[in-house]
């Protein structure tokens, strides 16, 4: 059953100038992921500024072991559902692994597909290096790009696993150079993932564009968390940077368990959950069922096809 939007306060749509304004005013930018219609509705009603259809969908929604496996077709399907649930937040489409690294042409085509087919307004891609060139090409094609540095899950294997980045001078310099390069080609914001707070703060001071942190401390212009992690839908061990605001998985298991028990104990359905019929209609229907001819009728009366 589809729930209709309820009690949503009309907000002005969040656009890129508004994000720049928020950073300038020191007003924290709130970003959260969403992967379907209900999670988009929740993000909308809770007042998020930016909603990212993240490739973390691979893990938290589709059950893959990492983000590498998710395809463009899957991201498009999820993004279309998110679009139907969003009004005010800026919608970011995450470019899945394999959709942009090889050439600028591929990057532009993939970004255009995400925008045209999902209705996202901007895209995000991971890492510095060649991604800087890809970001430049996409921006020149008219699509705004959000960068993503630090722990970039699509290259987790190359980074030695899901590890904090920027802990040594050399790696902090690399991070800073990547962020500056992404800014210089026109990225409107940059995600910093799993970076020591002091390093993120120092780099953020050198940047004009807003930084959005996930495990990067309090000094970034905004914060992002994965919807399923913050609500406790994800089970098992979570990264240090996640704060759980609810235990939705526990609530869901509890609800379904009570349903299972009530069906088995015949406490569900209750009178409130059943449809009635006029007694006269029921009596006549019973007389129809009681006919001799009906009870003696052959179940199958057919000729085999030639
Ligand atoms: O895919 C994602 O959810 C992300 C966030 C963790 C920033 O990239």
């Amino acid at each position: 059953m589809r729930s209709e939007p309820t009690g949503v306060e009309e907000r002005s749509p969040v656009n890129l100038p508004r994000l720049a304004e928020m950073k300038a005013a020191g007003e924290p930018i709130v970003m959260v992921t969403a992967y379907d219609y209900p999670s988009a509705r929740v993000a909308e009603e809770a007042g998020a500024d930016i909603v990212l259809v993240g490739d973390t969908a691979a893990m938290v929604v589709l059950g893959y072991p990492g983000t590498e496996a998710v395809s463009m077709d899957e991201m498009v399907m999820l993004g279309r559902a998110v679009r139907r649930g969003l009004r005010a937040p800026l919608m970011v489409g995450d470019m899945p692994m394999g959709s942009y690294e090889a050439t600028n042409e591929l990057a532009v085509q993939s970004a255009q597909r995400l925008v045209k087919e999902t209705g996202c307004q901007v895209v995000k891609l991971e890492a510095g290096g060649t991604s800087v060139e890809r970001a430049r090409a996409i921006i020149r094609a008219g699509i705004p790009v959000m960068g993503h540095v630090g722990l970039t899950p699509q290259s987790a294997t190359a980074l030695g696993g899901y590890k904090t980045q920027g802990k040594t001078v050399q790696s902090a310099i690399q991070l800073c150079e990547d962020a500056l390069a992404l800014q210089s080609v026109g990225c409107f914001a940059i995600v910093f993932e799993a970076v020591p707070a002091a390093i993120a703060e120092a780099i953020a001071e050198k940047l004009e564009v807003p930084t959005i942190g996930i495990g990067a401390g309090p000094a970034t212009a905004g914060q992002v968390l994965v919807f399923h992690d913050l609500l406790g839908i994800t089970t098992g061990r979570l990264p240090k940077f996640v704060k759980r605001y609810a235990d939705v998985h526990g609530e869901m298991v509890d609800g379904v368990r009570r349903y299972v028990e009530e069906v088995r104990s015949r406490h569900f359905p209750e009178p409130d959950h059943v449809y009635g019929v006029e007694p006269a209609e029921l009596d006549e229907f019973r007389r129809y069922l009681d006919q001799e001819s009906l009870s003696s009728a052959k179940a199958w009366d057919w000729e085999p096809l030639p």
Side-chain angles (χ1 to χ4, degrees):
M1 261 263 205
R2 179 170 150 166
S3 59
E4 290 305 323
T6 52
V8 185
E9 188 189 315
E10 275 303 317
R11 290 191 283 149
S12 304
V14 177
N15 53 24
L16 305 192
R18 172 73 190 127
L19 294 176
E21 211 177 271
M22 288 174 82
K23 172 183 156 123
E27 201 183 319
I29 298 168
V30 186
M31 172 159 137
V32 66
T33 64
Y35 312 99
D36 55 14
Y37 179 81
S39 54
R41 292 304 316 151
V42 170
E44 171 82 40
E45 290 181 36
D49 300 305
I50 307 179
V51 167
L52 167 68
V53 186
D55 64 354
T56 37
M59 300 162 89
V60 299
V61 174
L62 302 174
Y64 293 122
T67 59
E68 302 89 339
V70 71
S71 69
M72 184 56 119
D73 287 348
E74 288 167 325
M75 292 301 294
V76 166
M77 193 268 282
L78 299 172
R80 287 166 67 90
V82 168
R83 180 71 278 166
R84 290 190 282 268
L86 282 189
R87 303 276 182 283
L90 183 77
M91 177 174 161
V92 186
D94 214 0
M95 311 255 305
M97 185 184 197
S99 71
Y100 61 95
E101 301 88 335
T103 63
N104 286 351
E105 290 69 31
L106 175 68
V108 172
Q109 274 167 17
S110 300
Q112 285 172 338
R113 183 172 175 208
L114 270 186
V115 170
K116 282 161 80 96
E117 295 186 26
T118 72
C120 66
Q121 290 125 311
V122 304
V123 300
K124 175 170 88 56
L125 47 69
E126 288 190 5
T130 54
S131 293
V132 176
E133 262 312 297
R134 307 296 171 254
R136 186 205 304 268
I138 297 168
I139 293 162
R140 283 193 173 160
I143 298 173
V145 175
M146 175 180 274
H148 182 161
V149 297
L151 171 54
T152 45
Q154 290 173 13
S155 34
T157 309
L159 295 173
Y162 288 83
K163 289 189 174 154
T164 317
Q165 302 296 306
K167 286 178 89 168
T168 63
V169 180
Q170 207 42 53
S171 109
I173 291 173
Q174 185 61 57
L175 232 159
C176 183
E177 287 183 355
D178 285 342
L180 286 168
L182 287 164
Q183 172 176 271
S184 75
V185 298
C187 286
F188 72 90
I190 302 175
V191 169
F192 276 58
E193 180 165 353
V195 174
I199 300 291
E201 181 171 5
I203 300 175
E205 278 166 13
K206 295 277 171 211
L207 292 170
E208 276 156 36
V209 296
T211 50
I212 313 284
I214 174 163
T220 49
Q223 299 288 331
V224 54
L225 279 179
V226 167
F227 185 89
H228 289 55
D229 294 349
L230 82 92
L231 287 179
I233 302 173
T234 316
T235 54
R237 202 164 156 260
L238 290 172
K240 176 185 167 69
F241 54 73
V242 175
K243 177 170 178 185
R244 272 186 198 255
Y245 289 85
D247 174 24
V248 172
H249 179 82
E251 283 284 309
M252 289 196 291
V253 172
D254 187 51
V256 176
R257 185 175 285 137
R258 286 193 291 121
Y259 163 68
V260 166
E261 283 166 7
E262 289 198 359
V263 171
R264 292 196 174 133
S265 64
R266 300 195 184 280
H267 284 94
F268 177 84
E270 294 161 43
D272 278 355
H273 309 123
V274 301
Y275 297 107
V277 60
E278 287 299 325
E281 300 289 332
L282 182 59
D283 285 349
E284 194 172 336
F285 180 59
R286 284 200 189 287
R287 278 197 293 283
Y288 162 81
L289 291 176
D290 287 346
Q291 289 172 98
E292 187 58 33
S293 57
L294 190 71
S295 55
S296 63
K298 275 195 272 169
W300 302 103
D301 187 12
W302 53 277
E303 292 287 322
L305 288 171

